[in-house]
Amino acid sequence: MSTHDNLLRVGMVGYAFMGAAHSQAWRTVNRVYDLPARVRMALICGRDGGKVAEAADRLGWEGHTTDWRRLVESDEIDVVDICTPGDSHCEIAIAALAAGKHVLCEKPLANTVAEAREMAAAAARARTAGVRAMCGFNYRRVPAVTMMRQLVADGRLGEIRHVRAVYLQDWIVDPQFPLVWRLQKDKAGSGALGDIGAHIIDLTQYVTGQLITGVSAATETFVKERPLPAGSSGLAAQADGNGRAMGQVTVDDAAVFVARLDGGALATYEASRFATGRKNALRVEINGSLGSVVFDLERLNELEFYDATRPAAEQGFTRILVTEAEHPYMSAWWPPGHIIGYEHSFTHEMRDFVEAVATGTDPTPSFADALQVQLVLDAVVRSAELAAWTEVEPTLAELAA
Ligand SMILES: NC(=O)c1ccc[n+]([C@@H]2O[C@H](COP(=O)([O-])OP(=O)(O)OC[C@H]3O[C@@H](n4cnc5c(N)ncnc54)[C@H](O)[C@@H]3O)[C@@H](O)[C@H]2O)c1
């Protein structure tokens, strides 16, 4: 923390989708929660001077820069928040940790296992000096998801037998949709797998408390070439019939896999950007020996719970509206029944991060936790390539949080 008492001066890199979501959370967090530290939105970084100045003004940041190294090294910054595509996470995070800055990094942690290992090692080193690092798997902080975990931890589902998780979108069904960074392996690491598959991997492991040990996967790239985005120079491009420059899609459009979890559960996962009609459909169902629980992001204030210990005549899925003050994160928001939305998960993320930094405890998911997700992603890619059952490499014990 800064020499100014209980003040955390945040510097954020990237100001588009996640930059906006994180900004709204940084703006909100001290107004909603009573926290041991106060956040100051000190500096924002982007590559275009004019655009980052406009973003600073619009999103509520005091200063702006086009040089992330300046931000990371500044004595006026305590926390570095990384909201850039995966190709820059490793370099920025390691530089920030080396400069003694606490780091919040968007998911997936990195583009490769090697980078994720370096980042987890850097976080472990920094931790010995009281520097904290966390990866932004925000869906853990949707109150209904946190409650799912509590139900499992309290034994209300008994022994977990099945995990069924999908994360479905349809934004690239049109083959004329351009080759944006998310469709380029050097920028994004992988496609639907790392972008949205990573979320359901983290979420299900978090909720069940079990880790994926092995997978059998298939991936597909349905549209292999796409028009380059306007303004691309397109060195590797060729023209299509309409004279538009085209480029190779180098990531998966969809990934499906079955998995075994270390507590004995069997699981299925599906991540796709070709699920026509599905916009952001994250759905998870868990079946245990004593009950089942279902979460659907499109109804994120609700949980469906089946309690098999109830008398037979009363059994059935119960819809729980997760808006009571007793529910996770909810006491600071509105009266019961006054629902919350997507953006609140980020406010909850910042709340937990600020609290951990201010009290000198480790926030979760740690970089080591996020490295483990990266190892699962890597096992899925290898399994799909080999068309074979593939074990997930264990995370080194010394890095475990
Ligand atoms: N938690 C979630 O639910 C969630 C949702 C979407 C994206 N993400 C993750 O957030 C990250 C960013 O995704 P996004 O959707 O916000 O992308 P985006 O394209 O909307 O924004 C990326 C931002 O990074 C900036 N940028 C890129 N390279 C930079 C560099 N070298 N230096 C400074 N700025 C740079 C861009 O100018 C832009 O402002 C990715 O890791 C992505 O996987 C997480």
Side-chain angles (χ1 to χ4, degrees):
M1 260 197 285
S2 78
T3 47
H4 312 84
D5 271 351
N6 300 332
L7 182 64
L8 282 177
R9 298 160 303 177
V10 180
M12 187 178 77
V13 191
Y15 55 80
F17 180 19
M18 276 309 100
H22 285 215
S23 296
Q24 103 79 34
W26 290 123
R27 281 195 308 269
T28 322
V29 70
N30 284 119
R31 291 174 170 81
V32 177
Y33 292 103
D34 188 13
L35 290 172
R38 201 161 46 80
V39 165
R40 211 168 105 196
M41 296 169 69
L43 193 58
I44 183 176
C45 173
R47 291 164 301 178
D48 179 299
K51 287 185 186 162
V52 75
E54 183 278 322
D57 186 46
R58 177 169 42 87
L59 299 172
W61 294 85
E62 290 171 13
H64 52 85
T65 176
T66 53
D67 180 3
W68 66 259
R69 288 187 190 281
R70 201 197 122 207
L71 179 148
V72 157
E73 284 158 16
S74 166
D75 290 339
E76 308 287 304
I77 294 296
D78 307 300
V79 170
V80 174
D81 181 10
I82 304 172
C83 293
T84 56
D87 62 337
S88 51
H89 289 186
C90 183
E91 200 181 8
I92 300 173
I94 289 177
L97 291 166
K101 309 296 157 72
H102 308 288
V103 174
L104 172 60
C105 181
E106 259 306 337
K107 49 52 61 182
L109 186 63
N111 277 1
T112 65
V113 165
E115 287 174 348
R117 276 197 204 290
E118 276 185 56
M119 293 169 78
R125 279 195 302 275
R127 184 175 177 268
T128 60
V131 174
R132 312 288 160 187
M134 172 172 148
C135 185
F137 282 109
N138 58 303
Y139 291 129
R140 288 182 175 211
R141 268 104 184 176
V142 171
V145 172
T146 316
M147 183 176 167
M148 268 173 117
R149 176 179 163 92
Q150 286 174 1
L151 287 172
V152 173
D154 291 348
R156 299 293 299 279
L157 267 65
E159 213 170 299
I160 305 302
R161 303 269 161 71
H162 285 296
V163 172
R164 218 164 282 112
V166 302
Y167 198 160
L168 308 174
Q169 301 181 338
D170 73 351
W171 56 279
I172 55 171
V173 167
D174 178 356
Q176 291 306 307
F177 188 91
L179 191 65
V180 295
W181 70 260
R182 278 187 162 81
L183 306 181
Q184 300 169 36
K185 190 173 178 192
D186 59 332
K187 306 263 181 356
S190 67
L193 176 63
D195 188 15
I196 52 179
H199 271 302
I200 46 176
I201 291 167
D202 180 72
L203 192 160
T204 52
Q205 293 192 133
Y206 168 72
V207 166
T208 60
Q210 297 188 26
L211 298 180
I212 296 172
T213 56
V215 298
S216 179
T219 61
E220 186 54 70
T221 304
F222 298 111
V223 175
K224 296 182 172 41
E225 283 194 335
R226 289 180 179 273
L228 295 176
S232 297
S233 61
L235 291 176
Q238 60 194 60
D240 73 357
N242 302 320
R244 288 190 71 182
M246 305 287 281
Q248 293 290 324
V249 175
T250 45
V251 299
D252 59 282
D253 289 332
V256 295
F257 58 100
V258 295
R260 285 189 185 279
L261 275 64
D262 62 1
L266 269 186
T268 63
Y269 294 84
E270 185 179 3
S272 177
R273 294 165 169 167
F274 271 72
T276 307
R278 298 292 175 197
K279 304 302 170 186
N280 198 41
L282 188 169
R283 188 176 185 281
V284 173
E285 174 165 325
I286 297 172
N287 309 130
S289 54
L290 299 179
S292 291
V293 67
V294 184
F295 171 74
D296 181 346
L297 184 65
E298 291 179 358
R299 308 174 72 110
L300 68 74
N301 289 274
E302 300 174 21
L303 208 54
E304 280 187 86
F305 178 44
Y306 183 98
D307 183 353
T309 66
R310 302 280 305 157
E314 295 173 15
Q315 281 181 17
F317 276 94
T318 302
R319 169 182 168 267
I320 300 171
L321 191 59
V322 189
T323 58
E324 299 292 324
E326 289 75 15
H327 287 133
Y329 301 103
M330 289 306 292
S331 62
W333 292 109
W334 317 116
H338 292 67
I339 55 179
I340 61 165
Y342 171 73
E343 69 273 26
H344 295 72
S345 64
F346 295 97
T347 308
H348 302 161
E349 181 174 301
M350 300 333 175
R351 183 199 90 156
D352 292 347
F353 182 77
V354 168
E355 200 157 69
V357 168
T359 57
T361 52
D362 290 318
T364 55
S366 66
F367 277 18
D369 296 330
L371 162 61
Q372 187 273 336
V373 172
Q374 206 83 38
L375 289 164
V376 176
L377 297 175
D378 180 66
V380 170
V381 170
R382 288 186 289 120
S383 170
E385 280 169 5
L386 299 168
W389 182 264
T390 303
E391 300 291 326
V392 176
E393 239 182 279
T395 317
L396 294 178
E398 66 264 26
L399 294 179

